[in-house]
Amino acid sequence: MAPYLSSVFFPAEAQVEGLLLTFATFSAGYLVRPLGGVLFGHHGDRRGRKRPFAWTLLLMASSTALMGCLPGYHEIGNVAPISLLMLRLLQGMSMGGESGGAFTYIREILPKQCYAGCGCIVLGMFAGLTLGYLVHAGLLLLMSIDAMTDFGWRIPFWIGGLLGVIGFVIRTRFQETLSFTQLQRQGGIVTVPLAALFQHHRVEVFCGVLCIALNSTTTILINVFWPTYLETVFTESRQWLSLVGGIVLFLAGLCSVGVGFIADRMGIRKVFIFAVIMEFMLMFPIFYLPSQSEQWLAPAFILGAILTGVVSIAGPGMLLQLFPASVRYTGIGFTYNAGFAIFGGCAPLAATWLIQKTDIAWSP
């Protein structure tokens, strides 16, 4: 919705700057993700996994739905973009707590099938992105660009908010995990989980952030930077690329579930090493082949889906074994989101810089 939001929330005479500011606003959500992981992780490690895991979804639902209700720049001036930024920061905090809560809950509720469970989490993430592609495509079939800018852009935010409320109701009926109830009985609750994390588990935090670096850089490069790069090469195929991009994301999610089942049988370390080897083998053809001919787009898409599916399990899967129950929610939440904020956030900038300096399209 960024092109429509730039028209609504920023002055019309600064359209290019407005688009950049819109992307900057939504990128700001990455910066507060580690803070969300710490805040919700504190409550998750102190009072139980179930409650903060449900409230993260309600926070995401309410902030998303409220975005669809905001007046534009012409109604309330600078208050409009500031309000959009505030809601985006709330979304980022929610995502920070959500990721740590999801992986922690799966780790403790399905100890023998936790990696397959993580695959289902990843499938849910990618299915949501695919739904975003499809909703946008459907709206464009029903509405003109003017209608989308005037009103239609609000509909996806309301749909997202509604789905979030439904998810919240479901999560309130979840059971508390056995690991946390045992921790309570044994008196193992830590007063300040973040302090305990950095006092006793600094090496694990460092290793965890590096594990997520593999996941975050690959996912962002293939699913954020790469489609933009292809659109600059094949300008006449933008609609096709957008549709296929959504399908590929869903296939990547299905691949993650399959890799999760394999990890439950073989162990996550072997899967992680395999993911690193795949990274070295596949990233070059994924970028190189489409730069040579449009006929290589489909094979490159398939390779991208496979690689994304594997690394999306390998990185988070390693986190599940790094931290004890007393600091697990905080540890997973902080390391996962710090890895995305540091490495995933910088990946598109680094890729763009490489292409500018080398003048080689496949240099990333």
Side-chain angles (χ1 to χ4, degrees), residues 133 137 226-227 230-231 234-248 290 293-302:
Y133 277 105
W226 188 49
L230 290 178
E231 286 183 7
F234 306 107
T235 55
E236 297 180 358
S237 304
R238 288 185 175 182
Q239 291 181 341
W240 180 84
L241 286 170
S242 180
L243 178 62
V244 173
I247 297 173
V248 165
S293 172
E294 191 172 0
Q295 67 180 357
W296 291 106
L297 279 174
F301 267 121
I302 295 173

Coordinates of all heavy atoms in Angstrom, one line a residue, residues 133 137 226-227 230-231 234-248 290 293-302:
Y133 N -0.6 -10.1 -1.2 CA -0.5 -10.0 -2.6 C -1.9 -10.2 -3.3 O -2.3 -9.4 -4.1 CB 0.4 -11.1 -3.2 CG 1.9 -10.8 -3.1 CD1 2.8 -11.4 -2.2 CD2 2.5 -9.9 -4.1 CE1 4.1 -11.1 -2.2 CE2 3.8 -9.6 -4.1 CZ 4.7 -10.2 -3.1 OH 6.0 -10.0 -3.1
A137 N -4.2 -7.6 -5.4 CA -4.5 -7.9 -6.8 C -6.0 -7.9 -7.0 O -6.5 -7.4 -8.0 CB -4.0 -9.3 -7.2
W226 N 15.1 -8.7 -4.1 CA 15.2 -9.4 -5.4 C 14.0 -9.1 -6.3 O 14.2 -8.8 -7.5 CB 15.3 -10.9 -5.1 CG 15.5 -11.7 -6.3 CD1 16.5 -11.6 -7.3 CD2 14.8 -12.9 -6.6 NE1 16.4 -12.6 -8.2 CE2 15.4 -13.4 -7.8 CE3 13.8 -13.6 -6.1 CZ2 15.0 -14.6 -8.4 CZ3 13.3 -14.8 -6.7 CH2 13.9 -15.3 -7.8
P227 N 12.7 -9.1 -5.8 CA 11.6 -8.7 -6.7 C 11.8 -7.3 -7.3 O 11.5 -7.0 -8.4 CB 10.4 -8.8 -5.8 CG 10.8 -9.8 -4.7 CD 12.3 -9.5 -4.5
L230 N 14.3 -7.4 -10.0 CA 13.8 -8.0 -11.2 C 12.8 -7.1 -12.0 O 12.8 -7.0 -13.2 CB 13.1 -9.3 -10.9 CG 13.9 -10.5 -10.5 CD1 13.1 -11.7 -10.1 CD2 14.9 -10.9 -11.5
E231 N 12.1 -6.3 -11.2 CA 11.2 -5.3 -11.9 C 11.9 -4.3 -12.7 O 11.4 -3.7 -13.6 CB 10.2 -4.7 -10.8 CG 9.2 -5.6 -10.3 CD 8.2 -5.0 -9.4 OE1 8.3 -3.7 -9.2 OE2 7.4 -5.7 -8.8
F234 N 12.9 -6.4 -15.9 CA 11.8 -6.8 -16.8 C 10.6 -5.9 -16.4 O 9.7 -6.3 -15.7 CB 11.5 -8.2 -16.6 CG 12.6 -9.1 -16.8 CD1 13.2 -9.8 -15.7 CD2 13.2 -9.4 -18.0 CE1 14.3 -10.6 -15.9 CE2 14.2 -10.2 -18.2 CZ 14.8 -10.8 -17.1
T235 N 10.6 -4.6 -16.9 CA 9.6 -3.7 -16.6 C 8.2 -4.1 -17.1 O 7.2 -3.7 -16.5 CB 10.0 -2.3 -17.1 OG1 10.2 -2.4 -18.5 CG2 11.2 -1.8 -16.4
E236 N 8.2 -4.9 -18.2 CA 6.9 -5.2 -18.8 C 6.2 -6.4 -18.1 O 5.1 -6.8 -18.4 CB 7.0 -5.5 -20.3 CG 7.5 -4.3 -21.1 CD 7.7 -4.6 -22.5 OE1 7.5 -5.8 -22.9 OE2 8.0 -3.7 -23.3
S237 N 6.9 -7.0 -17.1 CA 6.4 -8.2 -16.5 C 6.1 -8.0 -15.0 O 6.1 -8.9 -14.2 CB 7.5 -9.4 -16.6 OG 7.8 -9.6 -18.0
R238 N 5.8 -6.8 -14.6 CA 5.6 -6.5 -13.2 C 4.4 -7.2 -12.6 O 4.5 -7.7 -11.5 CB 5.5 -5.0 -13.0 CG 6.8 -4.2 -13.2 CD 6.7 -2.7 -12.9 NE 8.0 -2.1 -13.0 CZ 8.2 -0.8 -12.8 NH1 7.1 0.0 -12.4 NH2 9.4 -0.3 -12.9
Q239 N 3.3 -7.2 -13.3 CA 2.1 -7.9 -12.7 C 2.4 -9.4 -12.6 O 2.0 -10.0 -11.6 CB 0.9 -7.6 -13.6 CG 0.4 -6.2 -13.6 CD -0.8 -6.0 -14.5 OE1 -1.1 -6.8 -15.4 NE2 -1.5 -4.9 -14.3
W240 N 3.0 -10.0 -13.6 CA 3.3 -11.4 -13.5 C 4.3 -11.7 -12.4 O 4.1 -12.6 -11.6 CB 3.9 -11.9 -14.8 CG 4.2 -13.3 -14.9 CD1 3.4 -14.3 -15.2 CD2 5.5 -13.9 -14.6 NE1 4.1 -15.5 -15.1 CE2 5.4 -15.3 -14.8 CE3 6.8 -13.4 -14.3 CZ2 6.4 -16.2 -14.6 CZ3 7.8 -14.2 -14.1 CH2 7.7 -15.6 -14.3
L241 N 5.3 -10.8 -12.2 CA 6.2 -11.0 -11.1 C 5.6 -10.9 -9.8 O 5.9 -11.6 -8.8 CB 7.4 -10.0 -11.3 CG 8.4 -10.2 -12.4 CD1 9.3 -9.0 -12.5 CD2 9.2 -11.5 -12.1
S242 N 4.6 -10.0 -9.6 CA 3.9 -9.8 -8.4 C 3.1 -11.0 -8.0 O 3.2 -11.5 -6.9 CB 3.0 -8.5 -8.4 OG 2.4 -8.4 -7.2
L243 N 2.4 -11.5 -9.0 CA 1.5 -12.7 -8.7 C 2.4 -13.9 -8.4 O 2.2 -14.7 -7.4 CB 0.7 -13.0 -10.0 CG -0.2 -14.2 -9.9 CD1 -1.2 -14.1 -8.7 CD2 -0.9 -14.5 -11.2
V244 N 3.4 -14.2 -9.2 CA 4.3 -15.3 -9.0 C 5.1 -15.2 -7.6 O 5.3 -16.2 -6.9 CB 5.3 -15.5 -10.1 CG1 6.3 -16.6 -9.8 CG2 4.5 -15.8 -11.4
G245 N 5.4 -13.9 -7.3 CA 6.1 -13.7 -6.0 C 5.3 -14.2 -4.9 O 5.8 -14.8 -3.9
G246 N 4.0 -13.9 -4.9 CA 3.1 -14.4 -3.8 C 3.0 -15.9 -3.8 O 3.1 -16.5 -2.7
I247 N 2.9 -16.5 -4.9 CA 2.9 -18.0 -5.0 C 4.1 -18.6 -4.4 O 4.1 -19.6 -3.7 CB 2.6 -18.5 -6.4 CG1 1.2 -17.9 -6.9 CG2 2.6 -20.0 -6.5 CD1 0.9 -18.2 -8.3
V248 N 5.3 -18.0 -4.8 CA 6.6 -18.5 -4.4 C 6.7 -18.5 -2.9 O 7.3 -19.4 -2.3 CB 7.7 -17.8 -5.1 CG1 9.0 -18.0 -4.4 CG2 7.8 -18.2 -6.6
P290 N 18.5 -14.7 -13.9 CA 17.5 -13.8 -14.4 C 18.1 -12.6 -15.1 O 17.5 -12.0 -16.0 CB 16.7 -13.3 -13.2 CG 16.9 -14.4 -12.2 CD 18.3 -14.9 -12.5
S293 N 18.6 -13.8 -19.0 CA 17.4 -14.0 -19.8 C 16.1 -14.2 -19.0 O 16.2 -14.7 -17.9 CB 17.6 -15.2 -20.7 OG 16.5 -15.5 -21.4
E294 N 15.0 -13.7 -19.6 CA 13.7 -13.8 -18.9 C 13.3 -15.2 -18.7 O 12.5 -15.6 -17.9 CB 12.7 -13.0 -19.6 CG 11.4 -12.8 -18.9 CD 10.4 -11.8 -19.6 OE1 10.8 -11.3 -20.6 OE2 9.3 -11.6 -19.0
Q295 N 13.8 -16.1 -19.6 CA 13.4 -17.5 -19.6 C 13.9 -18.2 -18.3 O 13.4 -19.3 -17.9 CB 13.9 -18.3 -20.8 CG 15.4 -18.4 -20.8 CD 15.9 -19.2 -22.0 OE1 15.1 -19.6 -22.9 NE2 17.2 -19.3 -22.2
W296 N 14.8 -17.6 -17.6 CA 15.4 -18.2 -16.4 C 14.6 -17.7 -15.1 O 15.0 -18.1 -14.0 CB 16.9 -17.9 -16.2 CG 17.7 -18.6 -17.2 CD1 18.3 -18.0 -18.3 CD2 18.1 -20.0 -17.2 NE1 19.0 -19.0 -19.0 CE2 18.9 -20.2 -18.4 CE3 17.8 -21.0 -16.4 CZ2 19.4 -21.4 -18.7 CZ3 18.3 -22.3 -16.7 CH2 19.1 -22.5 -17.8
L297 N 13.6 -16.9 -15.3 CA 12.9 -16.4 -14.1 C 12.2 -17.5 -13.3 O 12.4 -17.5 -12.1 CB 11.8 -15.4 -14.6 CG 12.3 -13.9 -14.9 CD1 11.1 -13.1 -15.5 CD2 12.8 -13.3 -13.6
A298 N 11.5 -18.4 -14.0 CA 10.8 -19.4 -13.3 C 11.8 -20.3 -12.5 O 11.6 -20.6 -11.3 CB 10.0 -20.3 -14.2
P299 N 12.9 -20.8 -13.1 CA 13.8 -21.6 -12.3 C 14.4 -20.9 -11.1 O 14.6 -21.4 -10.0 CB 14.9 -22.0 -13.3 CG 14.2 -22.0 -14.6 CD 13.2 -20.9 -14.5
A300 N 14.7 -19.6 -11.3 CA 15.3 -18.8 -10.3 C 14.3 -18.6 -9.1 O 14.6 -18.6 -7.9 CB 15.7 -17.4 -10.8
F301 N 13.0 -18.4 -9.5 CA 11.9 -18.3 -8.5 C 11.9 -19.6 -7.6 O 11.8 -19.6 -6.4 CB 10.6 -18.1 -9.1 CG 10.2 -16.6 -9.2 CD1 10.0 -16.1 -10.5 CD2 10.1 -15.9 -8.1 CE1 9.6 -14.7 -10.6 CE2 9.7 -14.5 -8.2 CZ 9.5 -14.0 -9.4
I302 N 12.0 -20.8 -8.3 CA 11.9 -22.0 -7.6 C 13.1 -22.2 -6.7 O 12.9 -22.6 -5.5 CB 11.8 -23.2 -8.6 CG1 10.5 -23.1 -9.4 CG2 11.9 -24.5 -7.9 CD1 10.4 -24.1 -10.5

